[in-house]
Amino acid sequence: MSNNSIKPYQRVQLFSGGGSRFGYYLGSYAALVAHDLTPDIIIGTCGGSLSAYLVQLAPDPKDLQQLMCSRELYHVIAAIRHVAPNESSRRLKVRYMTHAFKRWRLSRQLSKRQEQQQADSYEQLLDELQQLAMFRIDDESQWLDDLSGFDTSSNDHHRTDSETNKNTPEIAIIASRLYQKSATRISPNHPLKLQELLFAPPRLTASLSELTDKKMRSPAHVFAEERIHQSVKVLTQWDFAPVIRASLADMYYLPPTYIEELGWCLGGVINLTPIELACQLAETVFAETKAGYDSWLAAPAIQRVFGFDPNARLAQVHGFLPSTESYQDNFESSSQLHWLPFADNGEQLAGQHVQKRFNMKQMTIELMHSDYDGFVQQMQAQWQYGYQRTADYIQQQSL
């Protein structure tokens, strides 16, 4: 883009994770719509990718709330289950506990680079992520099929004419992959690298093509040069179901998933809050404050797989100032960056999401799904939290 060009979008909203509390993004989006601040594009990662898909299917908040409380969505969430005792040998259970301790011990070491260079091979890490994943999805190939009947937006979600439906935000999704030059041939001794993936609508891709290679480098590369590929692979031809599954495939939760021409894909945690990309694309950015990663499981797991300290990246995200960053050089003005106060969602929504329980006898982490009525209650609580926090922020900032 030239210095005189206009950013391709007026407003962007980031759906950055959320896990089983993904419903608060939907309430937040509804509050923006209610205050005439509808985002032109939503970038979803991990659990946020599912929320983005729901907005794509039902961009009108009334339809969206109906979809959020539908039995179809309940069945989608209930299909995510823990690995049953007869599906995992005791050896694998012990191995999981051993690796969890190993990740924690390595995270205590002073030399992070030493840990990064202690990388397993491509094949070793892939085996670990597949075998030690705690959860599975039933009938993965048809997992999201029942939701398609709620599609009240344009029939073509990859439309190039943004005037087709002004009320439907475009959707972009971030995931990652185990990188090799040839995705169809796995070399056991190939040096282990991971690459950020950006699944984008054509309009976004056209804008990104004008950016220099430096602007499209993965932010995680700075923290883990030996582990993270510096370039971001951008794709325009894609379907929601496999891409959402790829973005959800967080290490040790869901196993990696295979996408033709890309290879083995895993979650969006490689760039959970793509604030740099958002500020390149839009005049106004709605992001969220996030709590830090716990030092026992989450941070060591990300450190082991992706090679960087997620709390260091989070500090970089929260300290990002678009008015002082070099990203603004391509645009007439810097972005207005709004941080929606969601860092306490874990506390405020305690009990209002899928619960986990450690079964000491079976040595497994179990998912405790509510019945349908309990699910509806959880979704409504998440919606209300997201809506109210966003509406209060809008009022405080006089937007």
Side-chain angles (χ1 to χ4, degrees), residues 202-329:
R203 178 184 170 194
L204 170 56
T205 307
S207 302
L208 293 176
S209 66
E210 300 180 26
L211 295 173
T212 64
D213 291 339
K214 182 177 180 180
K215 300 297 183 184
M216 280 306 296
R217 288 182 180 176
S218 176
H221 175 70
V222 176
F223 295 95
E225 295 180 0
E226 301 298 324
R227 181 64 66 93
I228 306 296
H229 198 284
Q230 67 177 3
S231 68
V232 177
K233 186 171 182 61
V234 181
L235 301 103
T236 58
Q237 300 298 320
W238 51 279
D239 295 318
F240 272 108
V243 170
I244 291 170
R245 174 64 179 82
S247 189
L248 285 171
D250 276 355
M251 59 279 131
Y252 309 112
Y253 281 83
L254 290 174
T257 185
Y258 192 84
I259 294 181
E260 195 70 29
E261 305 303 328
L262 290 177
W264 289 100
C265 300
L266 53 154
V269 74
I270 191 172
N271 193 7
L272 193 64
T273 306
I275 197 66
E276 298 90 349
L277 174 63
C279 288
Q280 291 179 69
L281 298 179
E283 301 290 345
T284 302
V285 175
F286 291 98
E288 63 173 303
T289 57
K290 300 186 74 67
Y293 296 85
D294 75 84
S295 59
W296 289 94
L297 290 175
I302 296 172
Q303 181 83 48
R304 173 167 174 77
V305 175
F306 291 95
F308 66 89
D309 178 357
N311 285 312
R313 167 58 181 160
L314 184 60
Q316 182 190 55
V317 166
H318 286 164
F320 185 81
L321 299 173
S323 61
T324 61
E325 296 290 337
S326 59
Y327 293 97
Q328 69 173 316
D329 295 341

Side-chain angles (χ1 to χ4, degrees), residues 87-97 131-132:
E87 294 179 287
S88 178
S89 68
R90 184 174 182 84
R91 178 183 61 82
L92 287 178
K93 297 172 188 176
V94 174
R95 184 182 172 203
Y96 174 81
M97 300 300 292
Q131 297 298 326
L132 301 186

Side-chain angles (χ1 to χ4, degrees), residues 15 30 52 75 88 90 107 122 128 138 160 176 180 185 202 210 214 216 253 290 303 314 317 330 335 377 397 399:
F15 288 1
H75 292 150
S88 178
R90 184 174 182 84
S107 71
Y122 182 112
E128 180 176 320
D138 288 327
T160 57
S176 58
Q180 287 198 151
R185 297 180 61 187
E210 300 180 26
K214 182 177 180 180
M216 280 306 296
Y253 281 83
K290 300 186 74 67
Q303 181 83 48
L314 184 60
V317 166
N330 284 332
S335 300
Q377 179 182 336
Q397 300 297 317
L399 298 182

